Amino acid sequence: MTSLSASAQWTGKYKAGMNGGHEWNIFLNPPSVQTEDATLRRNDLWINGYFSEFFVNADFKKNTKDGRLKWGTALSGAVYSSTINANRHSYKLYGSYRKKYAPRKYFEFAPEFLRTKRQGVNDNDAVLATPFSYTRFTLPFKLDFYRGNLSWLKTAFGYRYKAYDQTNTGSISYHAGFAGLDLSKKWRKNQVETKLTFSTNLEVRAYRDSTREFEEFDPDDFDPEDREEADELDIETRLWTYVSNDLVYEIKPLKRPYELSFGLYTTLRLDRDQRNAYREWAPGISGGWDLEKVKLRGSLRYVNRSYPNRQVGESESPLTYQFVRASVQAEVPLTDHWDFRIRGNMINRKSSNTARTRAFRGYFNSLVEVGVVLKL
């Protein structure tokens, strides 16, 4: 990618693109739902549609005596033909200051702001029915230590705030503190570079779930004090703790145009209400191939998530999800700065819940898109 001078000391990299495609089951609905009057099928529940998408990314970098400064922005949006409620856009602003404060020791501060907008509520898990629109702010601090012999110890800790858009019935937000540690080691032998990374992370989220219930009233017999009482918020707090441990092995031949990554990812969520606690394990593989006329990327991951204390269905068996997540992408260079891109994503979630409700159900979502990318 060619760098352009943004000033005497800053350098910039820019990327923009236009895509068109089709998405199935945009709002992640189950294949069927039983109501009091009828059984709703896929044709009633799923919203599919063609979309046009754009994105613009800009990254800037400045080297200093003992470190470097970075900042960037990313803007994206999509317009759907089937329903205006599916339209989405997002904006991200991020920065980073990294400094070498001692031999083999580095400090980094990397704040990030993200705003995502889309109509609708994701209620397929029911415990927290969160809108698709939200604002998120993250303040991470990092301390990295080079241990010699291609080995690193990296740590991170910080604060995160996320607020979902308010709905007619209330709002949901959380404050979180997090900490993490990565230990990695590289080996280079026989023109092959391999890397093993172990990561462990802890995040504690304090949720605030505010629900407002409106009562019907007669406008001819209206008492403002009664209305004020009816509009009082029912506030519920939750404290969820996430513990994750990952092990990733990477292979990259130095004289061949491909790389592979194999990982095992585990997550444990703890909750005072034991029904919402779960444990998850997920093996995955990803790879990339940079051939002469095409660049290929792909990933595949299986996820098993179990709630040992939440019973669902007529048999009241423990709730279990099984996910399959897959993605593929191909880029073909057209000129020095233009690429043709085609990509596809798929999520298929199976659930042990046999009841035909909206909550705790399986769903299928996929999309395919093609477009062009400009890189400067």
Side-chain angles (χ1 to χ4, degrees):
M1 187 182 300
T2 304
S3 295
L4 299 179
S5 293
S7 69
Q9 295 177 311
W10 288 89
T11 58
K13 293 182 178 180
Y14 312 89
K15 182 187 292 187
M18 294 281 296
N19 303 315
H22 189 274
E23 183 172 2
W24 290 264
N25 195 18
I26 299 168
F27 296 110
L28 311 180
N29 283 310
S32 63
V33 170
Q34 182 67 51
T35 67
E36 294 181 359
D37 302 323
T39 299
L40 302 180
R41 302 293 183 181
R42 180 179 302 180
N43 293 338
D44 306 307
L45 299 169
W46 283 25
I47 297 178
N48 313 316
Y50 293 95
F51 64 87
S52 299
E53 182 182 42
F54 76 91
F55 66 89
V56 179
N57 299 340
D59 294 283
F60 303 94
K61 179 181 178 181
K62 175 183 176 180
N63 292 319
T64 63
K65 181 179 179 181
D66 296 321
R68 54 111 178 108
L69 289 166
K70 283 185 177 181
W71 74 274
T73 183
L75 175 67
S76 66
V79 177
Y80 285 75
S81 61
S82 56
T83 172
I84 191 173
N85 290 336
N87 295 347
R88 53 180 166 83
H89 66 266
S90 67
Y91 175 74
K92 182 165 68 172
L93 182 65
Y94 48 91
S96 170
Y97 171 66
R98 185 175 176 87
K99 179 180 176 60
K100 183 178 181 180
Y101 66 91
R104 298 186 175 187
K105 298 178 181 180
Y106 301 83
F107 164 81
E108 184 175 357
F109 174 57
E112 178 185 288
F113 170 83
L114 174 65
R115 170 63 181 159
T116 295
K117 181 67 176 178
R118 178 181 240 178
Q119 298 296 321
V121 175
N122 184 3
D123 58 2
N124 59 71
D125 282 330
V127 177
L128 282 176
T130 54
F132 289 106
S133 299
Y134 61 86
T135 300
R136 189 183 70 198
F137 186 62
T138 308
L139 286 174
F141 297 87
K142 303 177 182 180
L143 294 173
D144 299 342
F145 306 91
Y146 181 63
R147 305 171 67 243
N149 196 24
L150 302 178
S151 177
W152 283 88
L153 173 64
K154 299 183 178 182
T155 65
F157 59 94
Y159 165 80
R160 179 179 293 113
Y161 172 72
K162 187 173 183 178
Y164 296 92
D165 281 16
Q166 186 170 346
T167 65
N168 292 332
T169 58
S171 62
I172 298 175
S173 63
Y174 71 75
H175 299 269
F178 61 86
L181 181 148
D182 291 359
L183 182 61
S184 65
K185 166 66 176 173
K186 283 184 179 180
W187 295 269
R188 290 172 181 162
K189 185 178 180 181
N190 299 327
Q191 299 298 315
V192 176
E193 180 180 277
T194 58
K195 181 180 179 181
L196 184 65
T197 303
F198 171 75
S199 304
T200 183
N201 296 277
L202 171 69
E203 181 170 346
V204 180
R205 299 180 184 176
Y207 280 88
R208 185 178 188 270
D209 184 1
S210 305
T211 304
R212 184 187 300 276
E213 294 186 1
F214 298 98
E215 297 182 2
E216 295 183 1
F217 65 96
D218 184 354
D220 297 326
D221 186 23
F222 174 63
D223 185 340
E225 293 184 359
D226 292 342
R227 183 59 175 170
E228 183 178 352
E229 182 178 350
D231 288 353
E232 287 185 357
L233 289 175
D234 179 16
I235 299 177
E236 183 178 0
T237 60
R238 305 172 186 271
L239 191 65
W240 286 355
T241 300
Y242 293 82
V243 181
S244 64
N245 293 287
D246 307 332
L247 187 64
V248 179
Y249 181 67
E250 302 171 71
I251 304 174
K252 184 178 181 181
L254 301 179
K255 292 187 177 182
R256 295 188 179 183
Y258 72 89
E259 56 187 26
L260 293 173
S261 175
F262 306 89
L264 178 61
Y265 311 89
T266 65
T267 302
L268 178 66
R269 186 172 79 182
L270 306 175
D271 183 25
R272 288 177 298 185
D273 182 353
Q274 292 297 317
R275 293 183 306 162
N276 300 323
Y278 70 72
R279 54 177 179 264
E280 176 181 293
W281 58 276
I285 181 174
S286 62
W289 294 264
D290 293 341
L291 305 177
E292 183 178 354
K293 295 183 178 181
V294 62
K295 294 181 179 180
L296 302 175
R297 297 289 183 271
S299 65
L300 179 65
R301 182 178 296 191
Y302 167 80
V303 182
N304 184 291
R305 180 186 300 173
S306 59
Y307 295 74
N309 299 307
R310 179 175 288 278
Q311 283 71 41
V312 293
E314 296 180 358
S315 61
E316 295 188 349
S317 58
L319 175 63
T320 300
Y321 294 135
Q322 297 184 68
F323 298 80
V324 175
R325 304 176 185 266
S327 67
V328 293
Q329 175 177 296
E331 285 190 359
V332 179
L334 301 177
T335 68
D336 290 341
H337 300 298
W338 287 94
D339 290 346
F340 171 78
R341 173 188 290 176
I342 180 172
R343 74 182 185 97
N345 291 332
M346 183 272 291
I347 302 175
N348 188 20
R349 184 173 89 170
K350 301 294 185 181
S351 172
S352 62
N353 183 17
T354 56
R356 292 185 176 181
T357 60
R358 285 186 178 271
F360 308 115
R361 298 288 306 284
Y363 61 80
F364 177 86
N365 169 268
S366 65
L367 67 82
V368 176
E369 63 180 351
V370 297
V372 291
V373 180
L374 170 65
K375 300 177 181 179
L376 297 174

